């Protein structure tokens, strides 16, 4: 659960409000209803949904989601699993009374262990979860390219290399330039695959006439 939790926080903090829940949902659905972990993820999903609806000026939806988000989180301590829930509930209470506040000030970031978590703070598993979620969320990104980059990133761990790990991290964190980063990532994947094909061709048996 830890890597999914952290990945979703990094996605949200990178500005992909709607996509964040995709990192949490599969884990959340498998948790016992009413457990502290289930309440945490359910409340965070409601929080990101409330922010998303406020960003799209659905004021009644925002208020309803803010109320339910607070309900799920109220039984938890102010910090749970490293997440500063006081920041979350304070912002949700504000949205309940004034959902249009989001147009005067941006949404509150999620704080994990005292800092605004980004993909640069994640382990490789968290980075790959976040990158895959964003590739699926937005048009124009080929999931197969990201999956290949993930495979190459895992190979880098044993070789003390960071090229693909760095590109995947930047792909998550750089919301403004994500398309440019993806193009670089796709070019590197193609370059690696071309080399692999060239090497494989050296050992193909010669055609017999």
């Amino acid at each position: 659960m830890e890597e999914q939790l952290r990945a979703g926080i990094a996605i949200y903090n990178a500005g992909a409000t709607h996509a964040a829940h995709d990192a949490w949902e599969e884990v959340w659905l498998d948790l016992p209803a009413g457990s502290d972990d289930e309440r945490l993820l359910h409340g965070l999903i409601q929080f990101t949904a409330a922010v998303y609806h406020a960003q799209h000026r659905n004021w009644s939806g925002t208020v309803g989601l803010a109320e339910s988000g607070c309900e799920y989180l109220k039984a938890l301590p102010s910090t749970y699993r490293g997440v500063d829930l006081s920041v979350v509930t304070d912002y949700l209470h504000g949205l309940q009374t004034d959902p249009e506040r989001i147009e005067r000030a941006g949404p509150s970031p999620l704080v994990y262990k005292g800092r605004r978590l980004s993909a640069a703070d994640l382990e490789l598993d968290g980075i790959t979860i976040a990158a895959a979620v964003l590739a699926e969320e937005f048009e124009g990104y080929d999931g197969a390219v990201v999956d290949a980059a993930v495979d190459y990133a895992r190979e880098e761990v044993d070789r003390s290399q960071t090229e693909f790990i760095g590109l995947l991290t930047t792909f998550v964190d750089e919301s403004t330039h994500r398309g440019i980063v993806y193009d670089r990532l796709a070019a590197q994947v193609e370059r690696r695959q071309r080399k692999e094909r060239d090497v494989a061709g050296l050992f193909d048996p010669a055609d017999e006439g």
Side-chain angles (χ1 to χ4, degrees):
M1 171 174 166
E2 189 70 13
E3 290 303 328
Q4 288 85 353
L5 172 64
R6 286 160 52 86
I9 292 172
I11 291 169
Y12 170 85
N13 284 340
T17 309
H18 182 268
H21 79 278
D22 286 327
W24 301 322
E25 191 166 313
E26 185 175 351
V27 176
W28 164 61
L29 291 171
D30 287 337
L31 292 171
S35 66
D36 285 351
D37 284 348
E38 190 270 342
R39 286 182 173 276
L40 171 67
L41 293 185
H42 205 161
L44 289 178
I45 289 169
Q46 297 281 307
F47 166 70
T48 56
V51 171
Y52 176 79
H53 281 282
Q55 289 171 329
H56 289 78
R57 301 176 62 85
N58 177 7
W59 308 130
S60 61
T62 299
V63 171
L65 287 162
E67 290 174 351
S68 59
C70 285
E71 188 66 24
Y72 286 116
L73 297 174
K74 70 179 184 181
L76 299 179
S78 59
T79 300
Y80 182 72
R81 281 194 174 268
V83 183
D84 187 343
L85 295 181
S86 62
V87 172
V88 177
T89 53
D90 285 350
Y91 198 76
L92 287 174
H93 285 308
L95 287 178
Q96 286 183 56
T97 56
D98 180 18
E100 295 183 41
R101 65 180 295 182
I102 201 164
E103 298 190 337
R104 300 189 298 273
S108 176
L110 288 173
V111 178
Y112 178 87
K113 294 187 177 179
R115 63 184 301 169
R116 176 175 176 157
L117 198 72
S118 71
D121 301 307
L122 303 180
E123 301 296 330
L124 179 57
D125 283 346
I127 295 168
T128 58
I129 290 168
V133 166
L134 290 172
E136 185 174 349
E137 172 74 10
F138 296 108
E139 293 183 4
Y141 302 133
D142 186 345
V145 168
V146 173
D147 289 343
V150 167
D151 290 339
Y152 294 137
R154 294 192 187 283
E155 291 176 7
E156 287 181 332
V157 174
D158 297 329
R159 301 173 181 172
S160 298
Q161 297 173 328
T162 60
E163 179 182 23
F164 284 97
I165 295 171
L167 284 170
L168 287 168
T169 301
T170 307
F171 174 72
V172 176
D173 281 342
E174 287 290 336
S175 57
T176 304
H177 305 293
R178 188 171 289 135
I180 296 172
V181 177
Y182 172 81
D183 289 343
R184 290 177 56 200
L185 184 66
Q188 290 301 99
V189 167
E190 171 57 28
R191 187 173 293 114
R192 178 68 68 86
Q193 290 175 338
R194 185 168 59 249
K195 286 182 179 180
E196 291 173 347
R197 290 193 297 268
D198 290 345
V199 170
L202 296 175
F203 297 93
D204 288 342
D207 293 335
E208 296 182 1

